[in-house]
Amino acid sequence: MRNLILIAVVFTFALIACDDGGGGDPAVEICNNAADDDGDGLFDCDDPDCAGYSGCQANNCTPECEEGESQCAGGAMLQVCALVQGCNAWVDDTDCDSLSQVCQVNGTTGNAECVATCQNVCLTVGDTRCSNNIVQTCTLQGTGCLDWEDTENCTATSQSCSTVSGDAACINEITCGDGIAQTPVEECDGTDLHSETCVSLGYYGGTLSCRGTCEFNLDSCETFGRCSDGEIQDLYGEECEGVNLNGASCESLGYYGGQLFCGGDCRFDLTQCEASGRCGDGVIHMAQGEECDGSNLSSQTCLTLGYGQESGALGCMGCMFDETACVPKNTNADLSSLTVSAGTLTPAFTAGTTSYAVTVLTSVTTLTVAATKADTYASVNITPAQPMTLTLGDNPATVTVTAESGASKEYMVTVIRLSPNDLSSPNIGMLKYVPAGTFQRDSTPTNLSMVTEFRMSQHEITRAQWTAVTGWADPSDVTVSSGTGDPVQQVNWYDAIAFCNKLSLLEGLTPVYTVSGVDFTTLTYAQIPAASNATWNEATANWSANGYRLPTEAEWMWAAMGADTENPGVTNTTGYLKAFAGSTGSNAIGDYAWYSVNSTSKTHPAGTKLPNELGLYDLSGNVFELAWDWYGTYPTGTQTDYRGAASGVSRVIRGGYWGGPASYCTVAVRYGYGPFGRDDGIGFRVVRP
């Protein structure tokens, strides 16, 4: 029984602790009244005292709203968000209809509120009117609506309510003609114009006066006109009038489009025009073809437009580039100087000459080619790198000049390092070594010529050398010669062999030639025949002598084709086909020979064109060269050191001359000339063992 009583007591206490709202001990939490009944800071179902209350379902509440929110329900009911049984829910708060109002959601706060329903009696706050001599003003009433409200009783001030220019006011009784302009009813009165003039009223001139009706007399003003009078007053700067644009448009004003309007000041309203742009607005309208605008060059300069570095400033004119100060890139790819550290350039440097040669002794193993560009903005590249290491024979160097424009020009310098087998004469200069070898002399493969080694003068004998060696006058025709450095001409075969013996004697060598009865030591030029002479025709040669002589035709041809430099020790089967001495099949004859196309009808200094593969100059062109041989038909088959026919009427000449065509300059072409004949196109060079 005691246990039953105890259980009953505990159960009763639990019921009291979780009261569902029936009141009782204030220290006990009431679970559904949204209050902190027991003062522990916890409300309703949040209080552990309500854990057993069936209306509290911990952690299973789905709120309908958030605290502080409100809404409209049923059109007129204002609901607020409240805590119901531990969960936020919508609760009816105010019936707006009972207040003659409606429930509306405030667009600013997003919450509902009761607002009055009314109808505006007037339209704009601040409007005025007269009503029963009372000035009334449109005001916002407490209901939220606009209505007229009495603001001034004109009767009380012994005035009259009057509406002037739309505004109501209490004014004194007005008498037109009293000389006092009482505004706003009177515009003027007599001479009292209320400080107005035609100009202050917007006219461009005239004299303002007052009519008897106390209104302005604008007749004089109107003769001057004003903006909005329907006429365009050009004299006063008007551009338009209303819809009258005087024929103008955005396009006619220089804009690229848009709609032109007339402003209230009778001047063009360019707002839409300016949106389309125009030349001169500082903006580059590329779609309209503008390149620039004023100082706005879009970061372009003469240089970025592809002009040269000598250009001035790029300008802008008519929104197109003004390239007046721009200078085209320089196309000058010339050199102003070309030098070598050893030897002498041949020919002497000129900017227009692009092919040069220089001969150095065997002891010279390195050489530097230096060049200076003629234009500051050009560039120079020399290959191979300088200084260059020299091998025996030809050592080509290329100087490439690239102009600012990109145009280029090549200067070729061939450095010829002499072989130890070359000889040097104090009187005629270098004699180049020509190795022994075999060559095919014509189109028949079995017609071969074998030649023993020899040395050939690098240049044709010059006018100065002729005089220095012989002591005789220069026989040359000076009208077809540019100077004493040119090959000697107007010499015959007899003259040539006499020179050879004279040179041999001068250098202490054994003379090669013998002419019966002739002492070459004392021989004078006058003693040499100018007509065919049997004694001189029977001259003999001592082929074992170490003196100077004329080359045989086979020796000349072998030297002219470059001997076997292309394939040393191998029979040269194609050299006879060369178009000129030094020809590779792709180079130009004008770089190697003086002939009718480039000679200007005269001889030129020996060695001013390029040499052939052996370093021999002018074997083609300048003057024909005399050979030892009588002119005749070559025997067939292989010939060794062939020295020509036993007799004949003319001696062989080879190589072409200044007045002849390119066909005279070939390696194979041969002509004959009487041994006594002297001609301004014939000279010679010499050889020795």
Side-chain angles (χ1 to χ4, degrees), residues 146-169:
L146 298 177
D147 200 353
W148 294 110
E149 183 176 317
D150 293 346
T151 54
E152 187 176 4
N153 188 338
C154 297
T155 302
T157 58
S158 301
Q159 292 178 307
S160 298
C161 184
S162 179
T163 301
V164 180
S165 300
D167 292 324

Side-chain angles (χ1 to χ4, degrees), residues 29-35 42-47 50 53 55-65 82-89:
E29 179 68 25
I30 299 173
C31 299
N32 62 352
N33 66 350
L42 300 174
F43 295 79
D44 293 357
C45 293
D46 292 333
D47 195 315
C50 295
Y53 176 54
C56 295
Q57 300 176 6
N59 301 320
N60 193 27
C61 174
T62 302
E64 295 178 356
C65 54
L83 190 66
V84 178
Q85 295 184 353
C87 199
N88 287 341

Side-chain angles (χ1 to χ4, degrees), residues 273-290:
C273 301
E274 291 171 345
S276 298
R278 67 178 295 177
C279 178
D281 61 6
V283 178
I284 300 174
H285 301 282
M286 298 180 66
Q288 307 299 334
E290 291 186 4

Side-chain angles (χ1 to χ4, degrees), residues 456 460 466 488-497 500 513 549-553 555-556 619 623-629 650-656 671-679 681-687:
M456 176 177 275
E460 294 169 328
W466 168 274
V488 67
Q489 23 94 352
Q490 288 289 359
V491 290
N492 60 27
W493 186 86
Y494 305 148
D495 297 328
I497 65 171
C500 290
Y513 300 116
R549 59 180 176 83
L550 294 176
T552 65
E553 185 175 17
E555 289 172 333
W556 188 95
L619 279 167
V623 291
F624 273 114
E625 296 179 10
L626 289 159
W628 161 261
D629 305 41
S650 60
R651 297 284 181 170
V652 171
I653 58 173
R654 284 282 199 151
Y671 294 98
Y673 205 78
F676 56 86
R678 291 172 174 146
D679 189 272
I682 297 176
F684 65 99
R685 76 175 67 225
V686 298
V687 300

